[in-house]
Amino acid sequence: MTAELMKGNVALAEAAIRAGVEAYFGYPITPQTELLEHMAKRMPELGRAFIQAESELAAINMVYGAACTGARTMTSSSSPGFSLMQEGLSYIACSQVPCVVVDVMRGGPGLGNIQPSQADYFQVTRSAGHGDYHPIVLAPASVQEAVDLIGEAFDLADEYRHVVLIVLDGLLGQMMEPAELPEMKPLRMERADWALTGAAGREKRIITSLELDAPALEAVNDNLQAKLAVIREKEQRWTELMIEDARLVVVGYGMAGRIAETAVKQARREGMKVGLLRPISLWPFPEEHLSMIADHSDAFLVVEMNAGQMVEDVRLAAGGQVPVKFYGRTGGVVPVPEEIYHEIAELYNKLNGG
Amino acid sequence: MTAELMKGNVALAEAAIRAGVEAYFGYPITPQTELLEHMAKRMPELGRAFIQAESELAAINMVYGAACTGARTMTSSSSPGFSLMQEGLSYIACSQVPCVVVDVMRGGPGLGNIQPSQADYFQVTRSAGHGDYHPIVLAPASVQEAVDLIGEAFDLADEYRHVVLIVLDGLLGQMMEPAELPEMKPLRMERADWALTGAAGREKRIITSLELDAPALEAVNDNLQAKLAVIREKEQRWTELMIEDARLVVVGYGMAGRIAETAVKQARREGMKVGLLRPISLWPFPEEHLSMIADHSDAFLVVEMNAGQMVEDVRLAAGGQVPVKFYGRTGGVVPVPEEIYHEIAELYNKLNGG
Amino acid sequence: MQEEIVFAGFGGQGVLFGGQLLAYTALAEGKYVTWIPSYGPEMRGGTANCTVIVSDEAIGSPVTKYPSVGIVFNNPSLDKYEELIKPGGLLIVNQSMVVRNPVRTDIEALVFPATALATELGDTKMTNSVLFGALLARRPIVSLEMAQQVLIEKLGQRKAHLHAINIAALERGYEIGMSVQA
Amino acid sequence: MQEEIVFAGFGGQGVLFGGQLLAYTALAEGKYVTWIPSYGPEMRGGTANCTVIVSDEAIGSPVTKYPSVGIVFNNPSLDKYEELIKPGGLLIVNQSMVVRNPVRTDIEALVFPATALATELGDTKMTNSVLFGALLARRPIVSLEMAQQVLIEKLGQRKAHLHAINIAALERGYEIGMSVQA
Amino acid sequence: MEAVIEEKIVYQRPEALSDIHTHYCPGCTHGVAHRLVAEVLDELGVRERAILVAPVGCSVFAYKYFNIDAAEAAHGRAPAMATGIKRVMPNHVVFTYQGDGDLAAIGMGEIMHTAIRGENITTIFINNAIYGMTGGQMAPTSLAGQRTKSSPGGRDVELTGFPVKMSEIIAGIQGASYVGRYSLHNVKEINRAKKAIRTAFKVQLEGLGFSMVELLSSCPTNWGMTPAQALEWVENMMVPYYPLGDFKVLPEVEQLMKR
Amino acid sequence: MEAVIEEKIVYQRPEALSDIHTHYCPGCTHGVAHRLVAEVLDELGVRERAILVAPVGCSVFAYKYFNIDAAEAAHGRAPAMATGIKRVMPNHVVFTYQGDGDLAAIGMGEIMHTAIRGENITTIFINNAIYGMTGGQMAPTSLAGQRTKSSPGGRDVELTGFPVKMSEIIAGIQGASYVGRYSLHNVKEINRAKKAIRTAFKVQLEGLGFSMVELLSSCPTNWGMTPAQALEWVENMMVPYYPLGDFKVLPEVEQLMKR
Amino acid sequence: MAVKGRIEIKEAKCKGCTLCVMACPQNVIEMVTEYVNAKGYYPAHLVDPDGKCTGCALCAVACPDVCITVYRQVPVKAAAV
Amino acid sequence: MAVKGRIEIKEAKCKGCTLCVMACPQNVIEMVTEYVNAKGYYPAHLVDPDGKCTGCALCAVACPDVCITVYRQVPVKAAAV
Ligand SMILES: Cc1ncc(C[n+]2csc(CCOP(=O)(O)OP(=O)(O)O)c2C)c(N)n1
Ligand SMILES: Cc1ncc(C[n+]2csc(CCOP(=O)(O)OP(=O)(O)O)c2C)c(N)n1
Ligand code: SF4
Ligand code: SF4
Ligand code: SF4
Ligand code: SF4
């Protein structure tokens, strides 16, 4: 297999197809649209379901429907469109049907612009909809990682019967980079034992998020929380660089993390003991690992393309052990390695009493 | 003025009217509907604007429109309906037009049920929509406090040109309790200098959340963040009880806080040094005050009607100084003082090495 | 003084209004009071109940697990609330709609056919007034006079024709409450 | 070796495709490469640019403030990028669409009328091929041969009639790049 | 030879309806609508491949009452959900059951576009001129002057517009193959309604596209009437404004109706 | 006495249009539509009390181009936003300007209900059979067989349904007082379109309820044509499917048109 | 001879809505007034001393709660002895 | 005598779409081919050596970018001297 040069959006779409997605429903929005367009071409070719829905609201509810039949199902959007999916996501999470959603974030709030952003971190990790739940959130930093993670996303969704989000900023969605695509998986034929397939020769099945009785709904929640606790324990993902002896650890996810990598390497070249932690799963957040790192380092610098969101998770994980500094750019401005290096150098200097 | 016995929902509606709300747009949803119904009756009587919108989506965008003219405007809903307002709220926040939104939370996720809940804490405080912003969030614990806060909410909204949320659980919305209503304020006649009133004898005005240029949108965000910083500094609200010598501090907001009060008093009667902190502003969260209390106490017990959300803010504020324990009920189950007392006693015992 | 009174029965039996009467009367007498309904989607024949707390002090929790008084309008409510009443508390039972007597001995129980009496007095729907009257006899949380006044006020002019019989129902319940050896 | 090349001009000038040609060629030669466009709402005549990074090692940041090479298709892009090129870097200017010469002396500048040449060779739209050819002459990031191969492949069968003139454009640019004393 | 008399069951619960108590108010014709749909599913022999998408509204528990696979949609989104199901299960019989708040207010976009796509599903639309579940607020279908909890002075058409006629609107969309409005206010009308429901499902079975049956239904509770009065109100107030009959019958469907 | 010749300006930019460069592609008739609306506002003398609600779509920056107060709505929600404005500013002239993705896809619910309420606003609806701003995906109004970025093999009506005719649908709603579809493909049609726009605004000024003008418009960029070819495509492909003319003229409006 | 019929009403499910009473052309369904069922409703019951019920099933068609099963007597060939 | 007219095209705003050229009944508008304007477009301009322009304003009506101002010569009464 050889690497192909592909946009992140297109690579995600093709990798999802190869992972066996049976149905895609979406609505155009920049900077995500190439994903939908690729699906528009490929899914009908393959005899699979594709609809350009009338809205994101309709799209997520079509996903809800198709997912109820046990088919691998996905949608994709960008920030304002993702906001419109909140109610539907909450229903899906409560009903415990699996699905994959890609959010290619853009500058906000409001209509904002179409430039790269990570400003929906809270929205995706804390409350993709009302009620108590967290989706699984995976944040790739390269086209290859996007390809790999979306395959994993479908598996995680099935395993936990849960919503899995792939979040990227517009930069990764639009960027071309070589990546190897996996082989085409044959479509899964059998349907899960909870799926709606018609009550033929068996008891009928129901998929619902309604439970009028409070204790019964509490039981539903307990069940959901228990599942989340397992996910929290088993599915924390991250990658790291030159952490062992690092006095200053830069923490960033997605493209911000990748850009920071260049700055970190630069700092190392200048003799500073700096490392990088790049969380891959934003929920569950790699909290234990971070807390462990906090034990051995002197400071954290969190870099995000927003006004400071993941920094709260880092602070929670660090638990007051080390100072946590934040550097962010908003409105679609992409930080360049040079400015991150500058922050690193300044902070490192202070650690040295400078 | 004498107190009247009123449901929380009705009291909120009437108090909003007296605070000079000029336009209300909403959609029925239990346990909020009495608020809409009161508006349906009163607003046309007073010659003010009332529409039962076709959906929450339409309602929040009608609010957006009316608010652009500088009129005091509000809507109300409950969890699933509030999820549908996410996009609109993000637009409003970015455009910096003032409005007031009441969210009478119910059990979730999904359709859930209509019982009392606080499970949307993350949604309201962290990300009422995509992008970097926090609305001002006020949480009353009695009908009287609801009445007082909604008046304040309109003032805050105008002062900061920001979204102000009043969040309550279904219990307070449905509960009757005596409350004194304020006098009817005359409607404000003049319009703010940013409001859309027609370009007569002046330059035209624009209200938008779009800024295609990244640095320009970053400037918009800087401006918004600067405003939020001021709010964060000036608008933290809470109430407390027997904090001075408390070794164990119970933290709860809204009805959970009020129910905890009974348990705290019971514990005091039993000789335990227990106090209560009830945050009134959930955003900005009374972080400094909490952090100060953490200095003088041995443990926190956070009580919520959810699976543990505000507890993160308490942990952030406590900064690892004291252990923070959590007790919550979900699915619309309302904790009774007896069970909270039980938690207090157990935890207090442990503090004493028990 | 603080009393937590649960009114419980079917929807349509006037359970919620019964509790509101108590709440309004308490307010009229200058007491602290909260009233909380169970609320559900509009369904006839479902259960309905409310909790009223009346106190001389500001009320913390408006919910309680163990109320001091239970007024049960039907059998499912008897089954549900009998065991929850605080020891030494009071249980008033609408005998017309139950198939058994209460069994606890550590609480005071008042069992009489309120619905039958209401029907007798002219309107089955006055079951709540009868039971409310009985409550005031056993627990003078508010005065009978004030309750009468509030009842008339809340029925309003549109239901003026019901004033007299409702007052009668209240008084009938009160009498029974006073006369019965609990 | 790592080069960061910015292609910048108007939408419609083939700016993004020019960058992609470089990226595809680099991939074909087994190099690490990233290509990032500026993207905007569909608007003709707006600015368009892309950044290509080619490296022997895995690429961290695909963005940079100070590129090592700038290829500017028009005057606004000259104004914007001249000052950002790294000292010692290269600036290639499409003279046909600019009203001034570059002023910096700490970078290498190659100024020639690429659009005029492209028009001469048969299609104004080949401006990008001409400039790309010139780039390869000054910075042998990838080989001219591979670039030719990729160009033909990317134009595809449907545009077979354009193969020859595009190759000619590429070579013309290359010649100029080789000949001019920068 | 003398004839022997035997007792035969001429009416009993359809198999597609579960034998459990419903939460509907006494006399609410949601129950009748349920039964008709269940009878049709049984008669067409499709119970085992039928999938219901229930709405948010009084009929939210339809998923409990039908003895078939079922999903519960978000308020108004049942047609989108049904679309998702149908596209991956094209041989199943997929239908939505929706109230007027659900379909004609919040779900307007979804029902319109499902019809526009000519989605091969069936929609049973219960028009009771009110929001039942939330306790009696105005629906888009509430009649002019009708008093509801959110139009306490009677629906003011100046401020809220005229009640919306969904069947007429949907019939105007090319993708809709069969659209009819019927009523449940007496036995004769109930029987006509059943025939329409049967046609609607047959349309789906033949793959002819979108079909919808609007059923005028009662809400005694929120109208503040006895069940009998409520049916009179349907007949005397609703039917004159909401004419009964077929509003769209594609030629292919006409063929089908003859069979 | 000999006649003196003087030069008069017979055509110049209307006051209600700002003198700035637009971002529209060459030959895009969004620009024509803007100008017509601006001329009507000027001619009716209402520029100073006009409020525009701009959509999300290529015309998102309409708020920059009109020299009047303006707000920028969320995608599809312009009619709701306009409703909010109009209800508190009943004497202002409030209008939305929306593309076909905005109005006929995501905004279907809002436009329908605004018409149903008979909201006293005006909607200018630009039907260019495509999503312009996002780079050329299929719109609900894309023609059968039309190739777009999301229907690369041509719009398949089996899977996506037939293109939706909004004017016909809205005309069927009681609350709509004036609905017309016109085209911008040549000067004659442009002049007819302007007349319709004038009628629509007059309807609002008289408080007669909801008015909408659909304008067939070109998108040379995403159709992959020259501006001139694009206008031909409007004439030869769109007009046959989307007939021009008035679809709803209430009697009161007819009076108005005579004046 | 008139067709003979008979109905069974499941009292426990009946909500006392009276719609069957209104639908019955023979007027042989009445509401119970002496007691309520477990759900608190006065149920309907068949009062047909003269055997007027024809088994027409109109009541069953009218009943929103599917409480009614309808039987009709039909002549069949006697089995061969 | 034919009506005399004249147009002014703001070159800087012109996007070279040619729609005015197509609209002009007198064929007196042409596209510049020698240079592009600051936005990169070949603008339209009036080429009317014979004074055929009537000031009909059809070009202005067709122009999506409001680049065209139209003048027409009209007879007026001379002012009293
Ligand atoms: C997003 C959202 N908004 C509002 C509600 C509250 N709600 C539940 S049912 C309903 C309307 C029910 O009316 P209708 O659809 O006419 O059905 P009916 O109850 O009359 O059968 C509403 C508004 C909700 N559950 N979700
Ligand atoms: C909620 C949301 N979804 C999607 C988008 C992306 N988007 C912007 S404009 C547009 C459609 C534009 O098409 P149309 O309304 O036909 O207008 P045109 O650009 O053709 O004038 C879309 C889908 C968005 N901004 N917001
Ligand atoms: S509220 Fe109305 S619609 Fe709902 S079950 Fe009762 S009668 Fe039927
Ligand atoms: S993309 Fe199409 S609709 Fe948008 S400005 Fe260009 S031509 Fe006009
Ligand atoms: S119609 Fe059914 S529910 Fe109603 S009274 Fe008759 S048997 Fe009972
Ligand atoms: S119509 Fe306008 S923009 Fe187009 S060529 Fe003529 S003057 Fe230029």
Side-chain angles (χ1 to χ4, degrees), chain C residues 97-111:
Chain C
M97 300 290 254
V98 299
V99 296
R100 68 168 179 89
N101 276 323
V103 294
R104 274 177 67 180
T105 52
D106 61 339
I107 58 173
E108 183 183 338
L110 173 60
V111 183

Side-chain angles (χ1 to χ4, degrees), chain A residues 87 91, chain B residues 27-30 32-33 52 55-56 77-82 84 106 111 114, chain E residues 24 28 30 55-60 74-77 97-104 106 125-135 137 139-141 219 222:
Chain A
E87 189 202 24
Y91 271 71
Chain B
Y27 188 75
I29 184 167
T30 314
Q32 159 270 167
T33 306
Q52 179 181 318
S55 68
E56 291 86 353
S77 192
S78 174
S79 312
F82 188 76
L84 290 172
R106 57 188 245 180
L111 188 50
I114 56 182
Chain E
Y24 295 117
C28 172
H30 264 305
V56 179
C58 275
S59 48
V60 66
H75 191 28
R77 318 303 171 197
Y97 182 108
Q98 305 178 256
D100 43 36
D102 197 75
L103 181 141
I106 195 168
F125 167 39
I126 305 295
N127 177 354
N128 61 8
I130 204 144
Y131 284 20
M133 191 187 209
T134 43
Q137 297 77 31
T141 49
C219 179
N222 287 304

Side-chain angles (χ1 to χ4, degrees), chain D residues 94 96-97 113-127 130 165 169, chain H residues 42:
Chain D
N94 176 18
S96 313
M97 299 292 254
T115 300
L117 289 172
T119 313
E120 213 168 83
L121 287 166
D123 192 344
T124 312
K125 287 192 181 140
M126 300 187 308
T127 305
V130 176
I165 56 170
Chain H
Y42 295 100

Side-chain angles (χ1 to χ4, degrees), chain A residues 195-205, chain E residues 46-51 68-70 89 92:
Chain A
L196 302 185
T197 57
R202 60 158 172 78
E203 287 290 285
K204 70 178 221 185
R205 293 177 186 156
Chain E
V46 297
R47 190 193 73 81
E48 299 196 336
R49 57 185 173 113
I51 301 181
I68 60 177
D69 274 11
M89 309 278 266
H92 280 61

